[in-house]
Amino acid sequence: MSDHAVEHDYHLVNPSPWPFLSGVATLVWGLGMVVFFAGLHPRSTENPNGMMEFLFSRGMDMFGPDKVSNGGWIFIVLGLLMGAAVMTGWWLDMIKEGEEGDHTPVVQIGMRYGMIMFLMQEVMFFVAWFWMFFEFVLFHEDRAGWNTDVLESAATYAQGYGVNAGGHAITTINPWDLPLINTLLLLLSGVTLTWAHHALIENKQKAVYWGLALTIVLGLVFTYVQGVEYVEAYGHRMTETNWLDSNIYGSTFFLATGFHGLHVIIGTIFLFVMWLRAARGNLKSDQHFGFEAAAWYWHFVDVIWLFLFTFVYVVFALN
Amino acid sequence: MATTYASADTDAHDGKPKFWVRWFFSTNHKDIGTLYLILGLIGGLVGGFLSIMMRLELSEPGLQFFGNPHTYNMFITMHGLLMIFFMVMPIIIGGLGNWFVPLMIGAPDMAFPRMNNLSFWLLAVALVCGVISMFLPGGAGGAGFGGSWVMYPPLSTSGHPGPAFDFLIIGILAAGFSSIFGAINFITTIFNMRAPGMTMHKMPLYAWSVLVTSWLLLLSLPVLAAAMIMLFTDRTVGTGFFDPAMGGDPLMFQHLFWFFGHPEVYVMILPAFGIISHVIATFSRKPVFGYLGMAYAMVAIGVVGFVVWAHHMYTVGMDVDVKAYFLAATFVIAVPTGVKVFSWLATMWGGSIRYSIPMQWALATIFLFVIGGVTGVFLASAGLDTAAHDTYFVVAHFHYVLSMGAVFAIFSGFTYWFGKMSGYLYNKWLAGLQFWLFFIGVNLAFMPQHFLGWQGMPRRIPDYFQEYQLLNQISSYGSYMSAIGVIVFIVWVIEAFIVKRKAGDNYWGEGADTLEWTLSSPPPYHQYSKLPQIK
Amino acid sequence: MRISRLAASVGVTFAGLITTGLVTTGLAFASNKNGPTDGDLGFQRSVTPVMDAITSLNNYWLVPIMVAIVVLVTALMVYIMVRFREKANPVPSKTTHHVGLELAWTLIPVVILVILVVPSMKLLYFQDVIPESELVVKVTGDTWNWEYSYPDHEHIDPYVSSIVDIANADKFGLSHAEIIARIDARPAGEPRLDGRPYLLATDAALVVPVDTVVKVLVTANNNMHAFAVPQFGIKIDAMPGRINETWFKVHAGEEGTYYGQCSEICGINHAFMPIEVMVVSKAEFKRWAANGGSFTTQISQNTGSITQAVPVNTVQ
Ligand code: HEA
Ligand code: HEA
Ligand code: CUA
Ligand SMILES: [Cu+2]
């Protein structure tokens, strides 16, 4: 750092290329998102089943030769790879700085604040999705009431929310099937993670290693099961007329669970990094904020799932 | 990796790294603040240019400049977005906040210097995306997105098939995350890095204002992000969040948007309040009157600001009882705001007032903000809003609080701290000229808009019924005057850097008693190696 | 430098005075005709009970109280600026607290607001609670015109009302751009288009009887719009998938043509979807409705504009 004696415990970080490169990665990724999505979809009323169509008939073969001409996916992948590289560099720097003793107690308190607030903003993000969901669950009848005698699309519209539309009930996912399994998986992963944490505090490195590994495996299995569920959902679509991609329930369902899934994946990566560090014996029993942050994040993802399971799956299926 | 830069670059020039590393890889709050100010200047110039084009078009009825009315719509949209996200916010939070929050609370830097820079670069990415979007196909055979800064669907979903709006979405998401990270940084810095002895109740009001603002950003922006993503998926992959044919509801977007949008307006005005408090106290040579009341009034404005959002939606057909609630809740905000206004006056009372340039801007801010604030009360009265909603009365209201309240406070703060940041003093005559051009210009521009609104002139129209001409003409002339003011502003900034009149450590004298005045002008690259002790 | 300081305070005072002056004169001289009037500062002339209520809430409650607040703050500020300028008061006091004052400026605004809430709520409920209606009209916003229909008069076919200049371009064999060019080519001083207001005139007005409670159902086909007639005090969003409702009742003796404009941005032609309401006597409305609500339009081929859009039966 600078020449004059520094008499405080704050961490003055050295200049770093990572933020700027993150910006570049974001730009590349954003470009790809627009080119890919805007280029693929004709965005018209002729495509009522757009979302599922996209995910499964277009999306699945987006790497196929006919889509290469679109080019957008190249940028998306490039952006993500750059993002991953930047994150790796950034994290390695942080680990190194931690080892060099830059993370004094006061700096660690700051990190705690930071992580707590990061989770608060994540909560607000999901609040928006739940707001969307509850509004349509609670008030769809109002809307239809306003709607019925006016819009030609009233019939379609009524089918949209399904439940009360002249017996055309939409098929919901059975919550006691895969979703229940997933709930149990996540709950179990919370337990294994807590086990790992206690082990870390007691400095039982082996147990930390296995606890984390188990948690990660459970997370991966969760993601896999969720994938199976999505594919199954798409399968239903082929045989039933009122499946969820033609209405708002499907939209909320896929986006809310989808963003949860994304968080699971991010959380898994976060835990994986901790596992790598644990494998190297890099986690200290008295100072391991990285681990705690990962654990907080994982528990947060867990809680969101419980809300999703209760409302989006169970309560909706009871409806 | 981390240390290589340090050893390679930091030894020269009292610890300052070389150009590329200093400005692109920066982890220094003052440098990042400067970057924000530059970005805000660019945003203000582009946004101001768009507004002058709009006023040129509106100076007489008929379509003069915009052959395609869609282009006009695109101009107002980008004007609103640029001014808010790329002018006021980067300057008043990113720029001045980065510069002065750490200095004022006695911290050597921000809590997360690297993330600080990430915030800046995300905003730069957002600006690039926004500018790109202005040139891509939008809708109606024109370029760019023309659905206004509020982006209501279905106009923003089925109404704009081109990729322009998709870019804008990415841009707004990037700007949003920039602000979220910025907010986390400010809150952590303020909670965790105050100098020994500086309790929350001794903290300067500008730091308080940035603290409250950061909470508003932290809790409201994720909701906007979700709403933007819903627009994106509605547009691209066929979800139906806002599509009635699929059971969705366009109204939901408005709820989500204004849940963010209303706190957002306080995001822009609270730091302005903070700046004004310091300037008034300095030039009255008196401590702030009712300090605690001032701080908690801001907290109150922030809290109540979260539960009034639907006052932007009085005409959407809400239940009357819901409207009644939002009416009452919105009225409440006038009370803490009044506390602030009267406390400023009381700060001046008994003082020994010097009318320096920052003080002129500050006094004008109070005067103009009160006008803008009371017109807000008209709008808050739901029944009355039926007549005023989506007319120029609203435009007049929010320019009085924004283009005068927030912008005048920006200039107040900028002139107040210019010497501290640059080390040079500005030419008082030029800076005074800018003040008067602006003061008269914006009043001419926006005062007549109240009456246009009462006369029923709708917002967002490039062409109007001829009977609206006189007031529109006055308004346009006023806007040209403020544009000249912007030019004079740039002239005096350049002049100050050319002439290099050296500024002392505390060039305002004894009234200026916050910590930044104990440092040199400009402050050392890393200040407070030994933390200051507050009694 | 002293001069500029003095100028500062004088300027601020003047701005305050001008504001007050403008507001009060504007309210005093509201014009008698329909539609906006150049240079007028207040609301357009009210012709319905709701707009009466809005106007009086505005003119008798909010404007006086709010102007008083602005004047009070300005006057205080100017007084302080003069009384406590550096020269007049070289030694600043150090007072930073005064509980009484702080309470006063918290509580007095509370009282003012409570006083204001009462008439505000009254207006709100008066406006929003729809009385027993005698006629229902349904308004559907489309890009970029309005469709009117009369659900309780089945023989009146729904009809579309478009701006005279733009939407009829094809009727005259002109392109959109050519129409705009024509509008632009008109002499600058010319306020009206063949006697009809430019940008406000339509080819088929909404026809309603005078002195009748009319309930308006509003919805939209694609984009959002808003149905607004300033002189009636109504403005309500037209939103796809929803029906909103509002009401008006034009005072007896106020037959005439009233204008409004779409008040929610709806795309390229947002500025070009006016609302024209023709208020006729009850008898005339009956005849018009009995006749199936047809229109006669006199299209002047030379000028390419519609000179009048009137209900058949009202042409004497
Ligand atoms: C800096 C930004 C800012 C600020 C501070 C405010 C402050 C306020 N705003 Fe404003 N507003 C906007 C920016 C802002 N607004 C914008 C951008 C829009 C339009 C968005 C769009 O549609 O594009 C808008 C629109 C808007 C609307 C919707 C209008 C419509 O679309 O129909 C309403 C309605 O209630 C409203 C109300 C208020 C109120 C009550 C306040 C209050 O906070 C004001 C409080 C202040 C005072 C009252 C003055 C000082 C107080 C005293 C001197 C005490 C004594 C006073 C009394 C007793 C009354 N605003
Ligand atoms: C902070 C916000 C802000 C600011 C400053 C302004 C400034 C101005 N605005 Fe506006 N405006 C909006 C926010 C703002 N505006 C919004 C949100 C809308 C609604 C958009 C919509 O409907 O979607 C709007 C809409 C709007 C309209 C209505 C358009 C319509 O509905 O058809 C008009 C018309 O006259 C207008 C005009 C102007 C003018 C003449 C200025 C002039 O005051 C401009 C003069 C220039 C400046 C004040 C900038 C100066 C600052 C700098 C150059 C930076 C300085 C740098 C440092 C200190 C480092 N604006
Ligand atoms: Cu229709 Cu604006
Ligand atoms: Cu608001």
Side-chain angles (χ1 to χ4, degrees):
Chain A
M1 236 143 285
S2 49
D3 313 328
H4 15 264
V6 174
E7 294 182 28
H8 58 70
D9 287 342
Y10 301 123
H11 180 201
L12 295 186
V13 182
N14 287 315
S16 159
W18 308 126
F20 174 73
L21 294 178
S22 307
V24 176
T26 312
L27 192 59
V28 172
W29 174 83
L31 241 144
M33 286 297 278
V34 177
V35 174
F36 180 71
F37 281 93
L40 262 191
H41 192 75
R43 255 190 239 111
S44 65
T45 42
E46 296 131 45
N47 197 350
N49 296 329
M51 179 165 82
M52 298 305 284
E53 217 71 67
F54 169 74
L55 279 176
F56 294 94
S57 9
R58 292 156 176 271
M60 283 300 172
D61 58 20
M62 67 182 172
F63 299 105
D66 55 325
K67 292 292 174 284
V68 173
S69 58
N70 175 293
W73 67 272
I74 299 174
F75 289 100
I76 299 185
V77 173
L78 199 66
L80 288 176
L81 285 178
M82 288 170 73
V86 168
M87 251 159 55
T88 313
W90 195 318
W91 258 338
L92 285 178
D93 272 5
M94 281 187 72
I95 292 169
K96 192 163 173 194
E97 287 157 8
E99 282 166 358
E100 284 165 2
D102 282 334
H103 295 174
T104 56
V106 69
V107 172
Q108 285 192 49
I109 295 176
M111 288 177 172
R112 259 163 236 268
Y113 275 128
M115 192 64 200
I116 290 172
M117 279 178 295
F118 182 73
L119 291 179
M120 289 171 90
Q121 84 64 40
E122 293 276 33
V123 168
M124 288 311 289
F125 183 74
F126 278 96
V127 162
W129 298 99
F130 278 104
W131 186 355
M132 196 73 208
F133 178 76
F134 284 123
E135 201 267 354
F136 109 84
V137 170
L138 296 176
F139 298 117
H140 57 237
E141 285 180 60
D142 287 3
R143 283 195 226 156
W146 287 325
N147 209 36
T148 32
D149 62 358
V150 222
L151 281 188
E152 280 170 35
S153 60
T156 344
Y157 175 71
Q159 283 171 3
Y161 60 86
V163 206
N164 300 310
H168 289 283
I170 54 170
T171 322
T172 48
I173 290 177
N174 178 7
W176 310 117
D177 195 346
L178 294 180
L180 180 67
I181 296 178
N182 261 348
T183 310
L184 296 177
L185 282 174
L186 271 193
L187 286 176
L188 192 60
S189 75
V191 175
T192 53
L193 186 58
T194 311
W195 171 46
H197 194 181
H198 279 284
L200 181 55
I201 292 170
E202 287 155 28
N203 208 5
K204 297 182 189 147
Q205 294 289 344
K206 204 128 207 172
V208 181
Y209 179 86
W210 284 111
L212 271 174
L214 258 178
T215 316
I216 293 165
V217 169
L218 287 169
L220 289 176
V221 175
F222 176 94
T223 308
Y224 173 75
V225 172
Q226 191 75 3
V228 170
E229 183 186 298
Y230 277 15
V231 172
E232 229 169 72
Y234 182 66
H236 277 283
R237 184 193 165 271
M238 295 305 204
T239 53
E240 286 161 52
T241 39
N242 288 303
W243 189 237
L244 23 82
D245 64 322
S246 58
N247 61 56
I248 170 114
Y249 174 65
S251 307
T252 332
F253 171 83
F254 277 110
L255 267 289
T257 56
F259 270 106
H260 175 266
L262 186 66
H263 282 75
V264 171
I265 293 169
I266 295 171
T268 313
I269 296 173
F270 205 167
L271 288 173
F272 179 69
V273 173
M274 291 308 137
W275 179 75
L276 285 183
R277 293 181 64 185
R280 292 211 205 149
N282 196 312
L283 294 176
K284 296 186 214 102
S285 62
D286 54 343
Q287 185 186 342
H288 47 257
F289 178 70
F291 182 94
E292 281 178 55
W296 290 352
Y297 193 84
W298 193 253
H299 290 311
F300 153 78
V301 169
D302 210 348
V303 171
I304 295 291
W305 175 260
L306 291 181
F307 275 94
L308 282 173
F309 181 66
T310 315
F311 295 107
V312 178
Y313 289 94
V314 177
V315 176
F316 198 83
L318 294 179
N319 196 338
Chain B
M1 199 76 181
T3 37
T4 48
Y5 289 102
S7 51
D9 293 301
T10 47
D11 292 338
H13 317 95
D14 59 86
K16 287 195 191 97
K18 287 187 198 119
F19 182 82
W20 177 264
V21 171
R22 177 168 179 197
W23 297 110
F24 286 81
F25 298 169
S26 180
T27 47
N28 181 296
H29 73 104
K30 293 183 287 294
D31 284 352
I32 294 172
T34 305
L35 288 171
Y36 267 114
L37 290 178
I38 295 169
L39 189 132
L41 179 67
I42 296 171
L45 291 178
V46 181
F49 165 76
L50 297 177
S51 76
I52 298 306
M53 289 303 291
M54 285 146 52
R55 283 307 334 161
L56 272 170
E57 173 60 56
L58 293 173
S59 65
E60 40 179 296
L63 293 170
Q64 281 76 244
F65 300 96
F66 295 91
N68 182 350
H70 172 83
T71 310
Y72 176 85
N73 291 347
M74 186 270 270
F75 270 46
I76 60 163
T77 307
M78 295 312 292
H79 162 71
L81 288 172
L82 283 168
M83 284 298 197
I84 288 174
F85 284 98
F86 300 103
M87 194 274 278
V88 172
M89 287 172 68
I91 294 176
I92 212 164
I93 306 169
L96 297 178
N98 253 311
W99 258 95
F100 291 103
V101 167
L103 294 188
M104 282 182 148
I105 66 172
D109 206 304
M110 295 283 283
F112 308 112
R114 215 167 359 205
M115 194 167 82
N116 199 8
N117 201 23
L118 176 64
S119 293
F120 172 78
W121 286 111
L122 281 179
L123 197 63
V125 167
L127 184 58
V128 169
C129 288
V131 172
I132 290 178
S133 94
M134 292 168 68
F135 299 95
L136 291 176
F145 173 66
S148 131
W149 83 285
V150 299
M151 304 172 279
Y152 290 169
L155 187 55
S156 58
T157 49
S158 54
H160 278 81
F165 188 53
D166 298 299
F167 264 105
L168 208 49
I169 291 177
I170 301 286
I172 290 170
L173 285 174
F177 280 101
S178 153
S179 292
I180 288 172
F181 292 138
I184 293 176
N185 223 332
F186 278 119
I187 299 174
T188 308
T189 308
I190 290 172
F191 278 172
N192 198 36
M193 294 176 73
R194 275 166 289 128
M198 180 173 287
T199 59
M200 289 299 277
H201 285 178
K202 284 186 184 165
M203 192 168 74
L205 283 172
Y206 181 57
W208 263 104
S209 70
V210 172
L211 177 65
V212 178
T213 286
S214 299
W215 278 109
L216 294 180
L217 286 170
L218 186 76
L219 299 179
S220 70
L221 274 166
V223 176
L224 176 74
M228 287 289 119
I229 291 168
M230 290 178 203
L231 280 184
F232 190 78
T233 57
D234 266 19
R235 290 168 56 79
T236 53
V237 297
T239 55
F241 292 109
F242 309 124
D243 179 1
M246 287 170 74
D249 184 358
L251 192 52
M252 259 317 279
F253 178 81
Q254 299 190 21
H255 279 292
L256 294 171
F257 181 84
W258 288 115
F259 182 83
F260 147 80
H262 187 81
E264 169 70 15
V265 307
Y266 295 119
V267 160
M268 291 183 282
I269 204 67
L270 288 177
F273 288 173
I275 293 173
I276 297 300
S277 299
H278 290 289
V279 173
I280 296 276
T282 300
F283 296 104
S284 305
R285 278 204 280 140
K286 257 185 82 198
V288 174
F289 186 95
Y291 164 82
L292 275 187
M294 289 284 242
Y296 284 99
M298 289 194 282
V299 176
I301 293 172
V303 172
V304 183
F306 267 111
V307 292
V308 299
W309 73 88
H311 66 212
H312 296 272
M313 301 162 57
Y314 284 141
T315 64
V316 298
M318 272 185 298
D319 191 72
V320 62
D321 298 326
V322 179
K323 282 195 198 177
Y325 158 73
F326 280 104
L327 188 168
T330 307
F331 270 15
V332 170
I333 297 196
V335 177
T337 319
V339 169
K340 302 219 56 113
V341 170
F342 294 117
S343 299
W344 288 322
L345 294 182
T347 305
M348 287 158 66
W349 187 282
S352 180
I353 305 171
R354 239 176 338 136
Y355 298 105
S356 61
I357 304 292
M359 186 65 170
Q360 289 182 11
W361 285 108
L363 292 172
T365 307
I366 299 177
F367 171 63
L368 298 170
F369 174 77
V370 169
I371 296 181
V374 297
T375 56
V377 179
F378 284 74
L379 296 170
S381 182
L384 197 53
D385 187 60
T386 313
H389 177 69
D390 253 306
T391 68
Y392 263 82
F393 191 84
V394 179
V395 178
H397 156 68
F398 68 72
H399 282 95
Y400 262 83
V401 282
L402 275 172
S403 190
M404 290 118 143
V407 169
F408 275 46
I410 283 177
F411 283 121
S412 178
F414 192 74
T415 45
Y416 183 60
W417 283 315
F418 180 74
K420 180 56 63 185
M421 293 187 287
S422 66
Y424 305 127
L425 297 173
Y426 52 79
N427 178 317
K428 286 191 191 128
W429 189 85
L430 280 175
L433 178 67
Q434 185 217 350
F435 170 77
W436 285 108
L437 282 169
F438 248 88
F439 183 77
I440 299 169
V442 287
N443 273 298
L444 277 180
F446 298 114
M447 184 50 75
Q449 293 184 355
H450 292 107
F451 310 121
L452 282 172
W454 273 338
Q455 278 285 297
M457 178 168 162
R459 297 168 67 174
R460 300 161 177 155
I461 55 174
D463 187 4
Y464 52 84
F465 181 43
Q466 239 148 353
E467 298 274 320
Y468 292 124
Q469 179 162 9
L470 175 67
L471 294 173
N472 266 306
Q473 240 161 12
I474 301 176
S475 175
S476 290
Y477 289 133
S479 74
Y480 309 151
M481 200 162 162
S482 53
I484 299 173
V486 172
I487 295 170
V488 174
F489 166 71
I490 295 181
V491 169
W492 75 245
V493 173
I494 294 174
E495 193 263 3
F497 276 102
I498 291 175
V499 178
K500 295 191 195 306
R501 286 169 291 261
K502 287 265 183 304
D505 291 0
N506 183 355
Y507 46 88
W508 297 126
E510 61 173 304
D513 56 3
T514 36
L515 281 175
E516 76 270 27
W517 302 108
T518 62
L519 298 167
S520 60
S521 302
Y525 198 64
H526 290 295
Q527 74 276 2
Y528 305 134
S529 294
K530 183 176 180 328
L531 295 179
Q533 177 74 39
I534 316 296
K535 287 145 290 219
Chain C
M1 281 327 281
R2 309 283 139 191
I3 306 290
S4 90
R5 280 156 214 171
L6 205 66
S9 48
V10 173
V12 169
T13 327
F14 267 104
L17 287 177
I18 290 168
T19 318
T20 330
L22 283 179
V23 171
T24 36
T25 45
L27 297 170
F29 299 101
S31 95
N32 270 330
K33 65 179 222 242
N34 291 341
T37 310
D38 212 3
D40 250 22
L41 307 181
F43 279 128
Q44 293 178 28
R45 191 174 62 91
S46 155
V47 294
T48 63
V50 168
M51 193 58 200
D52 288 348
I54 292 178
T55 312
S56 60
L57 179 70
N58 190 66
N59 293 8
Y60 304 132
W61 290 91
L62 279 154
V63 170
I65 296 182
M66 293 303 142
V67 170
I69 291 174
V70 173
V71 170
L72 172 87
V73 172
T74 315
L76 255 173
M77 201 157 109
V78 171
Y79 173 77
I80 294 170
M81 284 166 69
V82 177
R83 169 70 185 75
F84 298 106
R85 63 189 196 279
E86 199 173 22
K87 219 162 148 204
N89 191 37
V91 184
S93 89
K94 290 286 165 212
T95 332
T96 55
H97 288 285
H98 190 294
V99 178
L101 264 179
E102 286 176 71
L103 271 180
W105 68 52
T106 314
L107 293 182
I108 294 172
V110 171
V111 172
I112 296 177
L113 290 168
V114 169
I115 293 174
L116 275 179
V117 153
V118 177
S120 295
M121 290 289 181
K122 253 191 175 148
L123 169 64
L124 176 61
Y125 280 84
F126 175 52
Q127 179 184 60
D128 256 43
V129 179
I130 299 178
E132 192 75 42
S133 67
E134 299 159 71
L135 174 71
V136 179
V137 294
K138 210 189 88 199
V139 175
T140 310
D142 203 343
T143 41
W144 286 267
N145 50 48
W146 296 97
E147 185 187 293
Y148 300 126
S149 63
Y150 295 75
D152 17 310
H153 290 77
E154 278 180 10
H155 44 288
I156 303 183
D157 285 336
Y159 59 95
V160 170
S161 163
S162 315
I163 188 170
V164 169
D165 310 68
I166 304 266
N168 294 317
D170 49 350
K171 282 192 198 157
F172 312 130
L174 298 173
S175 72
H176 188 123
E178 280 167 318
I179 288 282
I180 290 179
R182 274 183 182 228
I183 297 170
D184 285 349
R186 281 198 323 276
E190 184 199 303
R192 308 223 157 197
L193 183 68
D194 295 336
R196 315 204 44 230
Y198 153 62
L199 286 186
L200 297 182
T202 66
D203 55 1
L206 174 67
V207 183
V208 292
V210 78
D211 197 24
T212 307
V213 176
V214 181
K215 179 158 132 177
V216 193
L217 299 179
V218 184
T219 187
N221 281 341
N222 32 39
N223 291 340
M224 267 179 72
H225 308 269
F227 185 75
V229 184
Q231 285 179 280
F232 296 177
I234 59 174
K235 182 177 291 140
I236 186 86
D237 286 1
M239 213 179 291
R242 283 179 178 259
I243 297 188
N244 284 329
E245 24 178 62
T246 187
W247 69 285
F248 65 87
K249 177 186 180 186
V250 179
H251 293 314
E254 292 283 10
E255 287 95 338
T257 309
Y258 299 93
Y259 299 101
Q261 282 175 274
C262 173
S263 295
E264 182 64 65
I265 188 165
C266 52
I268 180 167
N269 283 335
H270 164 61
F272 308 106
M273 55 182 292
I275 295 148
E276 188 176 28
V277 185
M278 200 171 268
V279 179
V280 296
S281 72
K282 288 187 183 182
E284 262 178 293
F285 181 77
K286 256 207 191 99
R287 263 185 286 148
W288 178 75
N291 243 352
S294 56
F295 282 89
T296 175
T297 46
Q298 303 159 7
I299 301 178
S300 142
Q301 295 296 338
N302 319 346
T303 59
S305 64
I306 299 173
T307 50
Q308 193 63 294
V310 283
V312 176
N313 298 343
T314 56
V315 183
Q316 257 85 50

